[in-house]
Amino acid sequence: RLGVRTRSAGFIMAAGLVLGFAFTGEIVGHIPVFVSGGFILYFGIDLMKNWLVDTYKRFSLREWGVVVLILVFVACYGFLVAIVAGFLIATILFAYSYANTPVVRNAMFLADLPSSTERTGAEAAYLSDTGNGVKILQLQGFLFFGTTEQVLAQIRPAIEQRSGPRLQSIIINFRRVTNIDSGSASAFQRVQTLAKRHGFHLILCGLSDAMGNTLMRAGMSFKEEDGVSVREDLDRALEFAENMLLAQRAAGASSLVTLTERFAENGQHAEKLARLFAAAERTAYAAGETIIHAGDDADVLHFLESGRAMIARKLANGELKRLRTMSSGAILGEMAFCLGVKRTADVIAEEPS
């Protein structure tokens, strides 16, 4: 403030302080009272200027109001009470601000976000027509009693809507949620009660063990007969919701005829295709058994007559990452077969196929 730019000022001040400590009594005795009072008044005014005047432009009106309140507490009740009051006010303001932070990252319907599972044309069309009956909520951040209301605000209109498909399921994705407290867990338990009352299914995905334990302590049940299902990730939750919708649709069982009808355009070449599939070698695979191994020669083309198969790639940590799920009528390994290259992914039966 004085414009000093050299280190000598610091040494001079330090020397003055040392001498002042050594001769405090003698120095104070020779200083007039009005000078000491003037110093106290100057530093008090300077402190008021720094905290009230200078901060008015730098702080928001709410933050500046907290400073004024703390000053009032100092004047009326003393420093100790003001410190406690400032801490409580800051805590309340933080909770209020965080409660207004969006925790619903995305809200959409199944018709806009289908799973990676391969579907027939008829199935895809049916899911597109009925997909608005499945609401998807992707959450983020820390969930506590103040932020859970945002989730309920998304669910209530979906329950009360009268136009369009009836609400069949609600998918809640917790993958980007850091943690939840007991208050928000109780709110999700109320969502389960709403699901039972209004007849929709609740599907949770991306839950960590800690979050799952918190929900169960709040009285939430993860049993499907209680209207709640838990899936590992969002894609599997989407697939589960699609399967629930398709279960309501009268679909014929997969068979040889289904394969023929699938690949015969408008009935053309049906006879040739029937002979082709009849001549093909049939192999049965149990759930979890590998149909195609990554790195093998692509000298065989597979047609999935019945069941389901998962296309997966092994990550560096040894875990399998699901890329797509194929249902009956799908062709497996056609890209590597046609290009004459090695298999690039594993294909694993998810159910007897």
Side-chain angles (χ1 to χ4, degrees), residues 80-107:
L80 196 58
V81 175
I83 291 173
V84 176
F87 175 78
L88 292 176
I89 293 170
T91 303
I92 293 170
L93 288 177
F94 172 79
Y96 175 78
S97 300
Y98 203 91
N100 291 318
T101 302
V103 295
V104 181
R105 185 168 178 265
N106 281 313

Short mmCIF file of all heavy atoms in Angstrom, two decimals, residues 80-107:
data_model
loop_
_atom_site.label_atom_id
_atom_site.label_comp_id
_atom_site.label_asym_id
_atom_site.label_seq_id
_atom_site.Cartn_x
_atom_site.Cartn_y
_atom_site.Cartn_z
N LEU A 80 -17.79 -14.87 19.44
CA LEU A 80 -18.02 -16.31 19.50
C LEU A 80 -19.38 -16.68 18.95
O LEU A 80 -19.51 -17.62 18.14
CB LEU A 80 -17.88 -16.79 20.95
CG LEU A 80 -17.70 -18.30 21.14
CD1 LEU A 80 -16.49 -18.80 20.39
CD2 LEU A 80 -17.61 -18.65 22.62
N VAL A 81 -20.40 -15.95 19.34
CA VAL A 81 -21.75 -16.21 18.83
C VAL A 81 -21.81 -15.94 17.33
O VAL A 81 -22.47 -16.65 16.57
CB VAL A 81 -22.79 -15.35 19.59
CG1 VAL A 81 -24.18 -15.52 18.98
CG2 VAL A 81 -22.80 -15.72 21.06
N ALA A 82 -21.10 -14.89 16.89
CA ALA A 82 -21.09 -14.55 15.46
C ALA A 82 -20.46 -15.66 14.63
O ALA A 82 -20.91 -15.95 13.51
CB ALA A 82 -20.35 -13.24 15.24
N ILE A 83 -19.40 -16.30 15.15
CA ILE A 83 -18.75 -17.39 14.43
C ILE A 83 -19.72 -18.57 14.26
O ILE A 83 -19.87 -19.13 13.17
CB ILE A 83 -17.47 -17.84 15.17
CG1 ILE A 83 -16.41 -16.74 15.09
CG2 ILE A 83 -16.93 -19.14 14.57
CD1 ILE A 83 -15.18 -17.01 15.93
N VAL A 84 -20.42 -18.94 15.34
CA VAL A 84 -21.39 -20.04 15.26
C VAL A 84 -22.53 -19.69 14.32
O VAL A 84 -22.95 -20.51 13.49
CB VAL A 84 -21.93 -20.36 16.67
CG1 VAL A 84 -23.01 -21.43 16.60
CG2 VAL A 84 -20.79 -20.82 17.58
N ALA A 85 -23.03 -18.46 14.41
CA ALA A 85 -24.13 -18.04 13.54
C ALA A 85 -23.70 -18.04 12.07
O ALA A 85 -24.45 -18.47 11.19
CB ALA A 85 -24.60 -16.64 13.94
N GLY A 86 -22.48 -17.57 11.80
CA GLY A 86 -21.98 -17.58 10.42
C GLY A 86 -21.87 -18.98 9.87
O GLY A 86 -22.20 -19.23 8.70
N PHE A 87 -21.41 -19.92 10.71
CA PHE A 87 -21.30 -21.31 10.26
C PHE A 87 -22.67 -21.88 9.94
O PHE A 87 -22.86 -22.54 8.91
CB PHE A 87 -20.61 -22.13 11.35
CG PHE A 87 -20.54 -23.60 11.05
CD1 PHE A 87 -19.60 -24.09 10.16
CD2 PHE A 87 -21.43 -24.49 11.64
CE1 PHE A 87 -19.54 -25.45 9.86
CE2 PHE A 87 -21.38 -25.84 11.36
CZ PHE A 87 -20.43 -26.32 10.47
N LEU A 88 -23.67 -21.63 10.80
CA LEU A 88 -25.02 -22.16 10.56
C LEU A 88 -25.64 -21.54 9.31
O LEU A 88 -26.28 -22.23 8.50
CB LEU A 88 -25.90 -21.89 11.78
CG LEU A 88 -25.55 -22.66 13.05
CD1 LEU A 88 -26.42 -22.23 14.21
CD2 LEU A 88 -25.68 -24.17 12.82
N ILE A 89 -25.48 -20.24 9.13
CA ILE A 89 -26.04 -19.57 7.96
C ILE A 89 -25.41 -20.10 6.68
O ILE A 89 -26.10 -20.38 5.69
CB ILE A 89 -25.85 -18.04 8.07
CG1 ILE A 89 -26.68 -17.48 9.22
CG2 ILE A 89 -26.23 -17.35 6.76
CD1 ILE A 89 -26.37 -16.04 9.55
N ALA A 90 -24.08 -20.29 6.69
CA ALA A 90 -23.38 -20.82 5.51
C ALA A 90 -23.84 -22.24 5.19
O ALA A 90 -24.00 -22.60 4.02
CB ALA A 90 -21.87 -20.78 5.74
N THR A 91 -24.07 -23.05 6.23
CA THR A 91 -24.55 -24.42 6.02
C THR A 91 -25.94 -24.43 5.37
O THR A 91 -26.21 -25.19 4.44
CB THR A 91 -24.58 -25.19 7.34
OG1 THR A 91 -23.27 -25.18 7.93
CG2 THR A 91 -25.03 -26.62 7.14
N ILE A 92 -26.82 -23.58 5.88
CA ILE A 92 -28.18 -23.51 5.33
C ILE A 92 -28.15 -23.04 3.88
O ILE A 92 -28.85 -23.58 3.01
CB ILE A 92 -29.05 -22.57 6.19
CG1 ILE A 92 -29.26 -23.19 7.58
CG2 ILE A 92 -30.39 -22.31 5.52
CD1 ILE A 92 -29.89 -22.24 8.58
N LEU A 93 -27.34 -22.03 3.60
CA LEU A 93 -27.24 -21.53 2.22
C LEU A 93 -26.66 -22.58 1.28
O LEU A 93 -27.09 -22.69 0.12
CB LEU A 93 -26.39 -20.26 2.19
CG LEU A 93 -27.03 -19.00 2.78
CD1 LEU A 93 -26.05 -17.84 2.74
CD2 LEU A 93 -28.30 -18.65 2.02
N PHE A 94 -25.68 -23.35 1.77
CA PHE A 94 -25.11 -24.41 0.93
C PHE A 94 -26.16 -25.46 0.60
O PHE A 94 -26.29 -25.90 -0.55
CB PHE A 94 -23.93 -25.07 1.65
CG PHE A 94 -23.41 -26.29 0.95
CD1 PHE A 94 -22.59 -26.17 -0.16
CD2 PHE A 94 -23.74 -27.57 1.39
CE1 PHE A 94 -22.12 -27.29 -0.82
CE2 PHE A 94 -23.29 -28.69 0.74
CZ PHE A 94 -22.46 -28.55 -0.37
N ALA A 95 -26.94 -25.88 1.61
CA ALA A 95 -27.99 -26.87 1.37
C ALA A 95 -29.03 -26.34 0.39
O ALA A 95 -29.50 -27.06 -0.51
CB ALA A 95 -28.65 -27.27 2.69
N TYR A 96 -29.38 -25.07 0.53
CA TYR A 96 -30.36 -24.47 -0.38
C TYR A 96 -29.83 -24.42 -1.81
O TYR A 96 -30.53 -24.75 -2.76
CB TYR A 96 -30.72 -23.07 0.12
CG TYR A 96 -31.64 -22.32 -0.80
CD1 TYR A 96 -33.00 -22.59 -0.83
CD2 TYR A 96 -31.14 -21.34 -1.66
CE1 TYR A 96 -33.85 -21.90 -1.69
CE2 TYR A 96 -31.97 -20.66 -2.53
CZ TYR A 96 -33.32 -20.93 -2.54
OH TYR A 96 -34.15 -20.26 -3.40
N SER A 97 -28.56 -24.01 -1.95
CA SER A 97 -27.97 -23.91 -3.29
C SER A 97 -27.84 -25.28 -3.93
O SER A 97 -28.14 -25.46 -5.12
CB SER A 97 -26.59 -23.23 -3.21
OG SER A 97 -26.70 -21.94 -2.68
N TYR A 98 -27.40 -26.29 -3.16
CA TYR A 98 -27.21 -27.62 -3.73
C TYR A 98 -28.54 -28.26 -4.07
O TYR A 98 -28.65 -29.04 -5.01
CB TYR A 98 -26.45 -28.51 -2.75
CG TYR A 98 -25.75 -29.66 -3.42
CD1 TYR A 98 -24.43 -29.51 -3.85
CD2 TYR A 98 -26.38 -30.87 -3.65
CE1 TYR A 98 -23.77 -30.55 -4.48
CE2 TYR A 98 -25.74 -31.91 -4.29
CZ TYR A 98 -24.43 -31.75 -4.69
OH TYR A 98 -23.79 -32.77 -5.34
N ALA A 99 -29.59 -27.91 -3.31
CA ALA A 99 -30.91 -28.46 -3.62
C ALA A 99 -31.42 -27.98 -4.97
O ALA A 99 -32.25 -28.64 -5.60
CB ALA A 99 -31.90 -28.08 -2.52
N ASN A 100 -30.94 -26.80 -5.42
CA ASN A 100 -31.34 -26.27 -6.71
C ASN A 100 -30.42 -26.70 -7.84
O ASN A 100 -30.65 -26.32 -9.00
CB ASN A 100 -31.40 -24.74 -6.66
CG ASN A 100 -32.54 -24.25 -5.79
OD1 ASN A 100 -33.64 -24.79 -5.84
ND2 ASN A 100 -32.29 -23.25 -4.96
N THR A 101 -29.37 -27.46 -7.52
CA THR A 101 -28.48 -27.98 -8.56
C THR A 101 -29.16 -29.16 -9.25
O THR A 101 -29.64 -30.07 -8.58
CB THR A 101 -27.15 -28.45 -7.94
OG1 THR A 101 -26.53 -27.35 -7.27
CG2 THR A 101 -26.21 -28.96 -9.02
N PRO A 102 -29.23 -29.16 -10.59
CA PRO A 102 -29.94 -30.26 -11.28
C PRO A 102 -29.31 -31.61 -11.00
O PRO A 102 -28.10 -31.79 -11.19
CB PRO A 102 -29.81 -29.88 -12.77
CG PRO A 102 -29.52 -28.42 -12.77
CD PRO A 102 -28.74 -28.15 -11.54
N VAL A 103 -30.10 -32.56 -10.53
CA VAL A 103 -29.62 -33.93 -10.32
C VAL A 103 -30.16 -34.87 -11.40
O VAL A 103 -29.68 -35.99 -11.53
CB VAL A 103 -29.98 -34.46 -8.92
CG1 VAL A 103 -29.28 -33.66 -7.85
CG2 VAL A 103 -31.49 -34.45 -8.71
N VAL A 104 -31.17 -34.42 -12.14
CA VAL A 104 -31.69 -35.21 -13.26
C VAL A 104 -30.93 -34.78 -14.52
O VAL A 104 -31.19 -33.72 -15.08
CB VAL A 104 -33.20 -35.01 -13.45
CG1 VAL A 104 -33.71 -35.86 -14.61
CG2 VAL A 104 -33.95 -35.37 -12.17
N ARG A 105 -29.98 -35.61 -14.91
CA ARG A 105 -29.13 -35.27 -16.04
C ARG A 105 -29.89 -35.36 -17.36
O ARG A 105 -29.74 -34.51 -18.24
CB ARG A 105 -27.92 -36.22 -16.07
CG ARG A 105 -26.88 -35.92 -17.13
CD ARG A 105 -25.61 -36.71 -16.87
NE ARG A 105 -24.63 -36.47 -17.90
CZ ARG A 105 -24.46 -37.23 -18.97
NH1 ARG A 105 -25.21 -38.31 -19.12
NH2 ARG A 105 -23.55 -36.95 -19.87
N ASN A 106 -30.69 -36.39 -17.51
CA ASN A 106 -31.49 -36.59 -18.71
C ASN A 106 -32.81 -37.23 -18.33
O ASN A 106 -32.87 -38.06 -17.42
CB ASN A 106 -30.79 -37.50 -19.73
CG ASN A 106 -29.72 -36.77 -20.52
OD1 ASN A 106 -29.95 -35.67 -21.00
ND2 ASN A 106 -28.55 -37.36 -20.64
N ALA A 107 -33.87 -36.86 -19.02
CA ALA A 107 -35.17 -37.49 -18.87
C ALA A 107 -35.72 -37.74 -20.27
O ALA A 107 -35.88 -36.81 -21.05
CB ALA A 107 -36.11 -36.60 -18.07
#
